Amino acid sequence: MPERLLNIPVADLKTYSPLALAFIGDGVYGLLVREKLVCAGNCPNRRLHALSVEQVRCEAQAAAADRLESLLTEEELDQLRRGRNAHPGHVPKNADPAVYHRATGLETLFGYLYLKGEIDRIRTLFAAAGE
């Protein structure tokens, strides 16, 4: 059984839309960032929020995707590409569309790995993304 918070069975992950995977991947990535910040030391909530926003905004996620690309397997690269090539209904007005799409690719990858139950791989990639 895969290792996840809720071990609800999932269908074939290749049938999931990249945006559905990005939806959960956004939450996974955000939780990892928050855990890292809180475990680094106690500080005011406002400061935690500001630090979190710096790391989860699309520019930071796109840069993380760029750092990870050479470390990914073919299967992982496929997921990154699927997310990057997906067409969300909107791009935030202050975001560069190319950057936003790369960030969506990262979220898709993290969502895919999470639903697959590959928590150790997520930890490895998250650590490498922050370097």
Side-chain angles (χ1 to χ4, degrees):
M1 178 102 277
E3 181 182 345
R4 296 192 320 264
L5 292 174
L6 296 175
N7 285 316
I8 299 169
V10 294
D12 179 9
L13 287 175
K14 291 184 182 0
T15 66
Y16 280 69
S17 83
L19 295 177
L21 295 173
F23 174 76
I24 193 154
D26 177 51
V28 170
Y29 197 82
L31 180 60
L32 290 165
V33 166
R34 287 172 180 227
E35 181 178 336
K36 181 177 109 178
L37 291 172
V38 168
C39 291
N42 196 18
C43 68
N45 191 49
R46 178 175 283 178
R47 180 75 178 134
L48 288 170
H49 178 72
L51 291 169
S52 174
V53 168
E54 284 178 22
Q55 294 181 44
V56 298
R57 70 187 207 288
C58 66
E59 294 84 4
Q61 286 185 344
D66 293 344
R67 285 191 294 276
L68 292 178
E69 211 161 334
S70 66
L71 305 173
L72 301 178
T73 66
E74 278 304 313
E75 177 184 12
E76 293 166 346
L77 279 169
D78 285 345
Q79 294 306 315
L80 185 74
R81 282 188 214 108
R82 284 184 71 218
R84 189 179 55 215
N85 294 334
H87 296 288
H90 76 289
V91 173
K93 68 178 180 176
N94 294 326
D96 176 320
V99 171
Y100 188 75
H101 285 280
R102 289 195 337 263
T104 302
L106 180 78
E107 292 173 347
T108 300
L109 171 63
F110 273 75
Y112 178 79
L113 291 173
Y114 177 76
L115 289 177
K116 247 184 115 179
E118 294 190 15
I119 305 304
D120 287 337
R121 183 63 174 157
I122 288 171
R123 290 180 185 123
T124 298
L125 293 177
F126 182 74
E131 295 175 351

